[in-house]
Amino acid sequence: MRTITYAKALNEALDESLQADEDVIIYGCDVGRWGGIFKITGGLQTKYGADRVFDSPISENVLVGAGVGAAVMGLRPVVELQFADFLITAGDEVFFKAGMWRFMHGGAFKVPMVLRLPSGETGAGPEHSACPEAYVMHSPGLLCCVPSTPADAKSLLKQAIQSDNPVMFFEHRRLYQQRGEIDDDAPLIPFGKAAIRREGRHVTIVAWQMMLNRALKAAETLAEEGIEVEIIDPRTLAPFDFDTILTSVKKTGACLVVEEGYRRLGVGAEIGARLFEEALPYLDRPFRRLAIPDVPISSIPALVNRIIPTVDQIVATVREMAA
Amino acid sequence: MRNDVLADIFRKSLLTRVFEDRFVKLAMEGVVPPLLHPGAGQEVAQIAAIAALKDDDPVLYAHRGTGYMIARGVSMRAMLADCAGRAGGTNNGKGGIMHVVDTSKGIFGESGTLGGGLVISVGMGMAVKKKKTGQVVVHFFGDGGSNRGTFHESLNWAAVQKLPCVYICENNGWAVSVPVSESTAVENIADRAHGYGIPGVIVDGADPAAVMDAVRTAAERARSGQGPTLIEIKAIRLRGHYATDPQDYRADAAEVAKNDPLETLRARVISMGLMTEAEVETLLTECEAEVQQAVEEMQASPPLSPEAAFEDVMV
């Protein structure tokens, strides 16, 4: 076991994928010479050459669309959009081309591409701060990763690059410098397998990335009060491991989703709806959500912190649920 | 231009016209949805352009017409099956006539959002360049599609990377009901090539030799690593936007019909002595029989299972 940062884990996943498969290419704004604005692709152009790791113009539509075209012709492109928000800028290419090109041509193609999407609040304003994974979870034809630890980040990114399907890969910027243990001999994590980050019997919390960190912190405070929460990290939102949540809810009878996306029709709304459909007999308290209220995310920390779910809010909500 | 090539372009253009006219009839009868955007008036140029390429050069086609597919020998029965919801189509009923695909013949499909294929072509060009396959990626689109932002992003980045791509804009003067003069600031789409530092070439869509020359030159340039070319084919649209479009917004239809490139080519083939009037009539009968057989075979195919709705989403 060794300890590395989430950023380093992503860089290693890219490095090892380039090493293993000549068909892997990486491109995006600033990813070449500069190593990416968040330095995830650092050193890769020097090591593998500018024909495999290269810079692009600021042209999100063609960045994603060319990824689909290159994938159709047998490459495995890994494309970086600098901010996950730009998923919407390239909406035609993400949702119609990556998500549907194979389907609308009757399965004639495989689309093995990965779109790397650094997400989360950075104080850079409403168009550079969102966690828009619910859009992907809502849309057919796309896989969706939301890794929370360095080990998961590396494993899921390698798995995403090896996948024959298009993968939207959300990396949380606030986690880039977070360190964690990694086992280099561990097999790759399969898509659609949640992790239980903490076991407990009173309330089930579903959270990922920065909200997972906050949920884990809240759990410590709650444990001191005798409230034992079970925390589930879905790791991938498409496919989604509902069974692990269902098993937990059968035990706890209560579920809270904490997410950094917008509340209305967010990931939590989907989980709540499924619990209502499939787990009503096991829920003895109302399902709850903590999410960003439905306003844009501003650029001033005081305003941002007002709307992103906090440790204190998680503690308070679970106390109400456990009462 | 070789006489046998010209005769082949005529034969395939005639077959395309007969096929599409029959398709429109089938749409009127309710056998297929009226989603074909007839290519009448543009098929000669489409087929001449394909004739200038190698058989394995990947083609992304425009939404108007089936000349590209007929040129490459895609099954008419399969195309009809795609539209009629029958088994044995090229896209398993998922995309109808808009997304006909046959990679074994280099037909790589079409974007439903117009101009949406331009971005795909860039990645295909990147792939064939990296894999050094020697192929040229050819993308057809209309004057309407050229007004998407994807046109700018794609031609710019293809030019920067000197990709082996050929961009062919069939300018028929109309984007659905809007004339190009009201939608487009430049007189010639090809003028935009200056903005990307690539050649911009204008050819007459009624002159198959000129189309072939332009496409051959562009393909050679692309194959030799010098990058993309933008070719503008000055075309005419003889039919409506879609199969049953009454075109009541249009005053030029009768005038345009006098300049049908297929009629021009027919007269030329006869005047050059490549075929007699009687032989052209025989060819027409043969095309009608071939289309009739495709229709019958399509109608003999079983309907797709509704469960096909769940197939082909992912690997």
Side-chain angles (χ1 to χ4, degrees):
Chain A
M1 293 283 246
R2 57 195 176 101
T3 301
I4 59 171
T5 64
Y6 186 93
K8 174 74 174 146
L10 293 167
N11 181 271
E12 286 184 5
L14 296 171
D15 191 344
E16 290 168 24
S17 299
L18 284 160
Q19 186 78 48
D21 186 347
E22 180 65 27
D23 288 334
V24 175
I25 59 167
I26 294 176
Y27 63 82
C29 296
D30 306 302
V31 303
R33 191 178 301 116
W34 204 34
I37 52 167
F38 301 111
K39 300 293 173 212
I40 303 304
T41 54
L44 298 177
Q45 189 183 69
T46 310
K47 192 166 174 185
Y48 295 98
D51 63 331
R52 294 187 67 198
V53 181
F54 48 95
D55 290 318
S56 72
I58 301 172
S59 300
E60 283 80 9
N61 299 89
V62 76
L63 291 191
V64 180
V68 176
V72 159
M73 295 302 278
L75 295 184
R76 291 187 178 273
V78 183
V79 184
E80 176 178 315
L81 294 185
Q82 293 184 325
F83 292 82
D85 312 67
F86 303 167
L87 183 79
I88 312 303
T89 314
D92 186 344
E93 289 71 28
V94 169
F95 299 109
F96 299 161
K97 301 304 177 292
M100 300 182 192
W101 192 258
R102 171 182 168 81
F103 177 82
M104 66 192 179
H105 293 100
F109 309 112
K110 293 190 293 188
V111 185
M113 72 169 291
V114 178
L115 188 62
R116 291 185 37 243
L117 298 155
S119 64
E121 177 277 315
T122 52
E127 296 166 320
H128 294 70
S129 295
C131 286
E133 49 262 33
Y135 292 90
V136 175
M137 193 183 188
H138 177 68
S139 303
L142 300 171
L143 300 176
C144 179
C145 296
V146 286
S148 301
T149 69
D152 282 12
K154 181 170 180 181
S155 184
L156 288 173
L157 184 51
K158 287 178 79 168
Q159 185 86 298
I161 295 169
Q162 288 173 23
S163 169
D164 282 335
N165 293 307
V167 182
M168 303 295 114
F169 194 91
F170 289 89
E171 313 165 358
H172 200 290
R173 277 182 291 263
R174 296 275 178 199
L175 301 183
Y176 277 150
Q177 297 316 314
Q178 180 169 304
R179 304 184 73 84
E181 284 192 334
I182 187 161
D183 176 0
D184 290 319
D185 299 322
L188 293 185
I189 298 162
F191 287 174
K193 185 82 196 94
I196 297 169
R197 298 297 182 190
R198 184 183 175 109
E199 291 194 22
R201 58 201 165 93
H202 295 121
V203 173
T204 300
I205 298 181
V206 182
W208 57 99
Q209 298 188 322
M210 190 164 82
M211 294 300 103
L212 172 64
N213 286 354
R214 293 187 180 180
L216 287 166
K217 245 186 210 144
E220 288 170 22
T221 306
L222 290 161
E224 289 165 14
E225 300 170 16
I227 302 169
E228 293 296 341
V229 296
E230 180 143 297
I231 301 182
I232 294 171
D233 170 6
R235 301 203 282 202
T236 62
L237 297 178
F240 188 74
D241 180 5
F242 186 71
D243 289 346
T244 296
I245 294 173
L246 192 59
T247 303
S248 178
V249 166
K250 283 180 183 173
K251 179 169 66 174
T252 62
C255 182
L256 165 69
V257 175
V258 189
E259 67 181 304
E260 203 178 324
Y262 299 117
R263 177 183 173 90
R264 197 163 51 210
L265 288 178
V267 177
E270 168 63 16
I271 295 172
R274 283 201 66 180
L275 288 170
F276 199 76
E277 287 174 322
E278 299 173 43
L280 205 52
Y282 311 108
L283 286 170
D284 48 35
R285 283 147 289 170
F287 169 78
R288 297 286 299 270
R289 282 178 287 167
L290 286 171
I292 295 203
D294 298 308
V295 295
I297 302 160
S298 49
S299 39
I300 306 302
L303 277 63
V304 174
N305 293 336
R306 171 67 183 80
I307 61 171
I308 297 184
T310 61
V311 175
D312 289 346
Q313 281 173 330
I314 299 169
V315 170
T317 306
V318 173
R319 273 192 200 126
E320 286 172 24
M321 295 173 80
Chain B
M1 180 174 201
R2 276 169 35 197
N3 288 347
D4 60 328
V5 175
L6 190 66
D8 191 53
I9 292 170
F10 175 62
R11 190 187 69 77
K12 286 172 172 165
S13 300
L14 188 63
L15 180 59
T16 304
R17 179 71 61 89
V18 169
F19 175 63
E20 292 189 15
D21 283 352
R22 183 65 190 275
F23 191 110
V24 172
K25 250 182 96 190
L26 291 169
M28 305 285 236
E29 292 161 5
V31 177
V32 294
L35 294 177
L36 173 72
H37 303 80
Q42 297 174 219
E43 60 276 83
V44 171
Q46 291 168 358
I47 289 161
I50 301 270
L53 301 169
K54 294 188 177 172
D55 287 346
D56 70 339
D57 286 334
V59 169
L60 291 162
Y61 50 87
H63 65 290
R64 183 164 303 290
T66 56
Y68 327 94
M69 294 71 147
I70 301 280
R72 282 279 173 89
V74 176
S75 154
M76 292 186 290
R77 173 200 51 74
M79 286 193 271
L80 288 166
D82 282 334
C83 302
R86 304 258 176 183
T90 74
N91 56 45
N92 203 15
K94 305 302 168 42
I97 198 70
M98 296 296 292
H99 302 289
V100 168
V101 63
D102 187 342
T103 55
S104 74
K105 296 185 164 64
I107 297 294
F108 274 73
E110 203 243 335
S111 165
T113 58
L114 297 191
L118 287 152
V119 294
I120 306 278
S121 74
V122 172
M124 291 173 66
M126 288 160 63
V128 299
K129 184 182 176 192
K130 181 173 183 302
K131 288 174 173 282
K132 299 188 171 65
T133 65
Q135 290 163 296
V136 168
V137 177
V138 182
H139 184 54
F140 293 86
F141 53 98
D143 47 282
S146 80
N147 283 331
R148 285 282 306 281
T150 50
F151 174 88
H152 171 65
E153 291 196 5
S154 300
L155 268 71
N156 179 61
W157 205 28
V160 166
Q161 298 184 78
K162 293 203 185 315
L163 295 180
C165 296
V166 175
Y167 292 101
I168 302 178
C169 178
E170 298 172 59
N171 180 356
N172 65 20
W174 291 90
V176 191
S177 70
V178 180
V180 75
S181 60
E182 291 175 25
S183 68
T184 306
V186 285
E187 192 182 340
N188 303 305
I189 308 291
D191 293 346
R192 291 175 173 168
H194 294 295
Y196 311 110
I198 61 173
V201 182
I202 298 172
V203 287
D204 176 2
D207 184 348
V211 171
M212 277 192 76
D213 278 350
V215 174
R216 194 182 293 114
T217 303
E220 280 167 12
R221 181 183 149 83
R223 246 183 270 279
S224 65
Q226 296 175 77
T229 299
L230 173 60
I231 297 171
E232 177 179 4
I233 294 174
K234 298 289 189 187
I236 57 166
R237 192 182 99 188
L238 289 175
R239 306 270 192 269
H241 173 62
Y242 57 94
T244 51
D245 174 5
Q247 297 203 86
D248 46 9
Y249 48 81
R250 194 171 168 186
D252 70 337
E255 189 58 33
V256 160
K258 292 179 191 163
N259 299 316
D260 181 353
L262 184 58
E263 281 306 309
T264 307
L265 182 55
R266 178 184 191 275
R268 196 169 153 212
V269 163
I270 291 168
S271 71
M272 286 173 71
L274 302 180
M275 284 186 188
T276 64
E277 291 263 9
E279 283 167 341
V280 169
E281 283 311 306
T282 305
L283 178 62
L284 179 62
T285 309
E286 285 167 3
C287 289
E288 284 166 349
E290 202 176 330
V291 170
Q292 177 61 27
Q293 191 188 339
V295 172
E296 286 170 13
E297 284 174 7
M298 174 274 285
Q299 286 175 324
S301 307
L304 283 170
S305 160
E307 295 308 302
F310 297 94
E311 295 165 4
D312 304 323
V313 181
M314 287 199 210
V315 177

